[in-house]
């Protein structure tokens, strides 16, 4: 026993595993061996150096907060209301960190991601509806990415938007080839794109020179003035906190081989939270930079009539010409490069989210290229039709509509997450504290109330100004508010329905009976042993690395 303990203590802080890896783990080896990586193994020895092994999933998740949908809503926010809606970004970013940390904790503690918990917990009909809504969220997220990349190609190479939409459908398939080189290299690539976007917009800030005191006031003094401010605030919120991201994050954390001890799980939760905070802080600064640049440019006294018209109806494509006219050609090119990086990285993470959603809800897996082709086709069709018929202006409005759809769908992913992570029968000693439970339910309730209010008020205004006769308005109102009632009832059902399935945390000290209870569902599970390393999940790892063959018995010494 002592020799085994000494051998375990002598191992590096964290190592990687591969079928052809030697058994030499001398102290001179690097902490991260990124050559031929199939999986990342976390050492049982507690150390702050383990943080580097957990770095990666947070950056993949942060991409959803700086995708073309965010760019579009950020630009319009700055153009129409200058810095007044920056506080929405601050609140949404703080809420996102709390929510994303819960998604990561659910995966780490239980060894199952959110979609799998939904399949195990809900009956067939609710589960099917939740799956359809999750798929719709993935498609709604993919639409801004397609249009944004097409706009970027237009800015850089003068390619028509509708042709750019078609090219975008193929470009992501090429980037997905990166996964054959290992999950670490893919994470490093995505992280590099995040820092590229940050560098581009920080340079843009230097060009635009926004008023710092006004920016700070917009961050910390809430304001919703003027027609359309509420709608744009909801779009900002929908573009920031995305439902598919909750499914994605809870699955990505399963790519690490975490020690199944109380200390190991707590360390994983802490480090995943820190990593997410760092990545989301960068995403927050990028969003603030976009709004600040847009607000500074569109509030300039030197704008000519054409540039002022662009500010009044600003979209991703017009932003390029606006920046070029006001700040110079390099500013326009930097924006296009950042937009291209955003669109391409977002499509990769969106493909994985769709794969995990399908695998979790239906126990059905598709090859990544086939999954990408499926979601990409569904996103390209409306994008292509709108861009051909209505041009870039209509395509820009489609991005706003997609962002609002995401905001309305958020409760159907958020409520199950809050229910599961607050349940003793699922999380055991890792259940949410009273403060976190109260905070997250306040956030969720705020989102649901403001969405319901906006949906009702917008539908009422649409009826009043529709030009329909009285009878038609009455019938349209009945059907419209019936749909709103169904929406509210569905959210209340998820909120007040009691959890009926019990899944306790996977711990090294668990008895055979407890392990049998945990693995009693139809979800895949590895064999148990003395150390009980249940992560990474083989099906999750192989989904990310289809050309790799992960070890079931990784080399630890």
């Amino acid at each position: 026993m002592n020799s085994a303990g000494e051998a375990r203590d002598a191992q590096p802080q964290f190592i990687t595993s591969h079928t052809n890896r030697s058994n030499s783990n001398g102290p001179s080896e690097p902490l991260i061996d990124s050559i031929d990586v199939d999986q990342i193994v976390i050492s049982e020895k507690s150390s702050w150096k383990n943080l580097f092994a957990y770095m990666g999933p947070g950056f993949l998740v942060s991409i959803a907060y700086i995708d073309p949908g965010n760019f579009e809503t950020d630009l319009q926010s700055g153009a129409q209301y200058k810095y007044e809606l920056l506080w929405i970004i601050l609140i949404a970013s703080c809420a996102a960190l709390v929510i994303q940390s819960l998604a990561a904790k659910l995966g780490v503690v239980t060894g199952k991601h959110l979609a799998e918990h939904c399949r195990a917990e809900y009956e067939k009909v609710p589960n099917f509806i939740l799956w359809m809504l999750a798929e719709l969220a993935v498609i709604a997220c993919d639409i801004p990415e397609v249009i944004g990349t097409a706009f970027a190609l237009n800015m850089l190479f003068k390619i028509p938007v509708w042709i750019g939409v078609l090219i975008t459908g193929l470009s992501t398939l090429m980037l997905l080839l990166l996964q054959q080189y290992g999950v670490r290299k893919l994470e490093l690539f995505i992280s590099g794109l995040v820092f590229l976007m940050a560098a581009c917009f920080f340079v843009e800030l230097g060009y635009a020179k926004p008023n710092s005191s006004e920016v700070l006031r917009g961050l910390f003094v809430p304001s919703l003035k003027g027609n359309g401010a509420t709608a744009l605030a909801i779009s900002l919120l929908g573009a920031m906190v995305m439902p598919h991201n909750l499914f994605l994050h809870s699955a990505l954390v399963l790519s690490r081989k975490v020690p199944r001890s109380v200390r190991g799980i707590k360390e994983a939760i802490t480090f995943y939270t820190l990593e997410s905070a760092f990545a989301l802080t960068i995403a927050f600064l990028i969003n603030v930079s976009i709004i600040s640049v847009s607000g500074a440019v569109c509030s300039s006294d030197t704008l000519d009539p054409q540039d002022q018209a662009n500010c009044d109806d600003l979209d991703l494509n017009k932003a390029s010409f606006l920046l070029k006219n006001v700040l110079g050609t390099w500013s326009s090119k930097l924006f296009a490069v950042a937009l291209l990086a955003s669109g391409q990285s977002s499509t990769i993470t969106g493909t994985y989210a769709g794969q995990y959603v399908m695998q979790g809800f239906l126990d059905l897996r598709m090859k990544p290229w086939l999954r990408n082709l499926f979601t990409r086709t569904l996103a390209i069709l409306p994008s292509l039709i709108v861009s051909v018929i209505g041009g870039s202006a209509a395509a820009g409005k489609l991005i706003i509509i997609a962002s609002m759809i995401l905001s309305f769908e958020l409760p159907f992913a958020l409520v199950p997450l809050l229910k599961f992570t607050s349940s003793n029968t699922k999380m055991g000693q890792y259940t949410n504290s009273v403060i976190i439970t109260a905070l997250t339910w306040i956030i969720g309730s705020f989102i649901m109330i403001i969405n319901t209010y906006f949906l009702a008020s917008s539908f009422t205004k649409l009826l009043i100004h529709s030009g329909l006769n009285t009878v038609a308005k009455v019938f349209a109102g009945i059907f419209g508010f019936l749909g709103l009632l169904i929406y509210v009832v569905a959210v209340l059902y998820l909120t007040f329905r009691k959890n009926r399935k019990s899944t306790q945390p996977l711990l090294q000290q668990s008895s055979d009976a407890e392990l049998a209870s945990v693995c009693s569902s139809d979800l895949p599970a590895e064999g148990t042993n003395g150390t009980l390393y249940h992560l990474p999940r083989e099906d999750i790892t192989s989904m990310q690395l289809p050309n790799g063959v992960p070890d079931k018995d990784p080399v630890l010494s």
Side-chain angles (χ1 to χ4, degrees):
M1 293 292 291
N2 292 337
S3 61
E6 293 173 359
R8 184 173 63 249
D9 293 339
Q11 69 183 22
Q13 293 303 321
F14 57 87
I15 62 176
T16 56
S17 175
H18 191 269
T19 54
N20 297 325
R21 184 181 175 88
S22 66
N23 291 344
S24 175
N25 290 319
S28 62
E29 291 189 357
L31 289 176
I32 298 180
D33 180 2
S34 60
I35 301 176
D36 295 330
V37 177
D38 275 343
Q39 56 184 240
I40 301 173
V41 182
I42 312 297
S43 170
E44 292 185 22
K45 183 177 179 180
S46 179
S47 171
W48 65 269
K49 295 179 181 179
N50 288 348
L51 173 63
F52 295 101
Y54 291 104
M55 297 292 286
F59 280 93
L60 268 69
V61 168
S62 71
I63 287 295
Y65 297 89
I66 45 178
D67 72 345
N70 289 94
F71 283 20
E72 176 89 10
T73 51
D74 288 348
L75 287 170
Q76 293 193 359
S77 172
Q80 298 178 27
Y81 302 100
K82 204 173 180 181
Y83 316 120
E84 291 183 4
L85 297 182
L86 281 174
W87 64 277
I88 294 288
I89 299 296
L90 178 61
I91 291 178
S93 298
C94 294
L97 176 58
V98 175
I99 293 170
Q100 294 294 163
S101 66
L102 294 186
K105 183 168 76 170
L106 179 68
V108 169
V109 172
T110 65
K112 302 175 184 177
H113 56 80
L114 179 59
E116 292 174 328
H117 278 284
C118 289
R119 185 175 93 236
E121 178 64 37
Y122 299 113
E123 294 79 7
K124 288 185 178 180
V125 174
N127 182 74
F128 180 79
I129 294 174
L130 288 176
W131 169 69
M132 291 293 293
L133 290 173
E135 291 287 359
L136 182 59
V138 173
I139 296 170
C141 174
D142 216 27
I143 288 175
E145 294 156 7
V146 170
I147 296 176
T149 304
F151 281 159
L153 294 174
N154 176 263
M155 297 171 196
L156 292 172
F157 308 110
K158 308 302 180 183
I159 298 175
V161 173
W162 69 271
I163 295 179
V165 168
L166 295 176
I167 295 175
T168 303
L170 301 175
S171 61
T172 309
L173 296 177
M174 298 174 60
L175 290 177
L176 284 173
L177 295 176
L178 278 172
Q179 60 191 353
Q180 66 181 308
Y181 297 107
V183 64
R184 175 59 76 182
K185 284 188 173 64
L186 179 62
E187 290 173 347
L188 289 174
F189 176 76
I190 296 296
S191 301
L193 292 180
V194 172
F195 285 109
L196 174 63
M197 284 183 271
C200 289
F201 282 110
F202 291 163
V203 173
E204 293 278 16
L205 275 178
Y207 282 120
K209 296 180 175 61
N211 188 302
S212 57
S213 60
E214 292 184 10
V215 171
L216 290 175
R217 179 179 176 84
L219 277 172
F220 299 106
V221 180
S223 175
L224 281 176
K225 299 177 182 178
N227 295 329
T230 302
L232 196 52
I234 291 177
S235 296
L236 283 172
L237 185 62
M240 285 292 290
V241 186
M242 295 190 178
H244 77 281
N245 236 19
L246 305 183
F247 297 105
L248 177 64
H249 204 178
S250 63
L252 287 176
V253 298
L254 301 180
S255 64
R256 266 60 173 175
K257 210 169 185 66
V258 178
R260 306 311 297 171
S261 62
V262 173
R263 184 180 64 182
I265 292 177
K266 287 184 177 180
E267 180 185 79
I269 294 172
T270 300
F271 284 157
Y272 273 131
T273 301
L274 292 175
E275 186 244 359
S276 298
F278 178 64
L280 291 179
T281 298
I282 296 176
F284 165 73
L285 293 176
I286 291 174
N287 281 293
V288 170
S289 299
I290 298 172
I291 293 178
S292 300
V293 169
S294 176
V297 169
C298 288
S299 61
S300 174
D301 297 330
T302 60
L303 290 181
D304 59 36
Q306 180 61 41
D307 291 333
Q308 187 60 58
N310 286 336
C311 285
D312 293 338
D313 189 22
L314 191 61
D315 60 25
L316 291 174
N317 209 30
K318 291 179 181 178
S320 173
F321 299 106
L322 178 66
L323 293 173
K324 180 179 179 179
N325 293 339
V326 179
L327 301 180
T329 302
W330 277 106
S331 176
S332 174
K333 297 299 182 183
L334 284 173
F335 176 78
V337 170
L339 182 59
L340 182 63
S342 171
Q344 289 300 284
S345 56
S346 298
T347 53
I348 295 176
T349 56
T351 299
Y352 287 136
Q355 182 77 338
Y356 297 140
V357 164
M358 181 172 288
Q359 176 265 332
F361 279 106
L362 303 182
D363 196 20
L364 176 64
R365 294 170 56 191
M366 297 173 65
K367 293 181 178 180
W369 70 267
L370 187 59
R371 171 72 211 188
N372 180 270
L373 181 63
F374 173 71
T375 56
R376 184 100 316 187
T377 300
L378 293 178
I380 282 177
L381 286 178
S383 304
L384 183 62
I385 294 172
V386 170
S387 61
V388 170
I389 296 176
S392 61
K397 289 182 172 60
L398 185 61
I399 292 179
I400 298 295
I401 294 174
S403 298
M404 294 179 67
I405 291 174
L406 290 169
S407 182
F408 290 126
E409 287 197 17
L410 181 59
F412 297 102
L414 178 58
V415 171
L417 177 65
L418 300 184
K419 293 276 289 185
F420 296 155
T421 54
S422 300
S423 172
N424 286 321
T425 60
K426 294 185 182 296
M427 301 291 287
Q429 62 181 303
Y430 303 99
T431 185
N432 295 339
S433 65
V434 175
I435 295 177
I436 293 297
T437 299
L439 178 62
T440 51
W441 278 108
I442 290 173
I443 293 172
S445 299
F446 172 77
I447 293 173
M448 288 180 279
I449 290 173
I450 195 172
N451 284 350
T452 304
Y453 166 78
F454 178 74
L455 185 62
S457 60
S458 298
F459 184 72
T460 302
K461 292 179 181 178
L462 180 64
L463 281 181
I464 293 175
H465 301 288
S466 62
L468 298 174
N469 58 49
T470 304
V471 176
K473 287 182 179 180
V474 170
F475 278 101
I478 292 175
F479 284 110
F481 283 102
L482 180 60
L484 179 62
L485 179 62
I486 293 174
Y487 174 82
V488 173
V489 170
V491 174
L492 292 177
Y493 167 79
L494 293 177
T495 303
F496 293 103
R497 179 188 180 278
K498 292 185 178 180
N499 293 327
R500 299 169 187 172
K501 301 293 183 180
S502 175
T503 52
Q504 290 296 316
L506 296 173
L507 293 174
Q508 183 175 344
Q509 295 83 359
S510 300
S511 65
D512 292 339
E514 290 172 325
L515 293 178
S517 174
V518 170
C519 302
S520 60
S521 70
D522 57 348
L523 302 174
E526 292 82 0
T528 61
N529 52 46
T531 57
L532 192 59
Y533 268 106
H534 271 259
L535 302 180
R537 281 264 305 280
E538 184 176 349
D539 57 329
I540 296 295
T541 304
S542 62
M543 207 180 300
Q544 289 181 303
L545 308 168
N547 295 332
V549 182
D551 288 341
K552 292 186 178 180
D553 298 312
V555 179
L556 295 178
S557 60

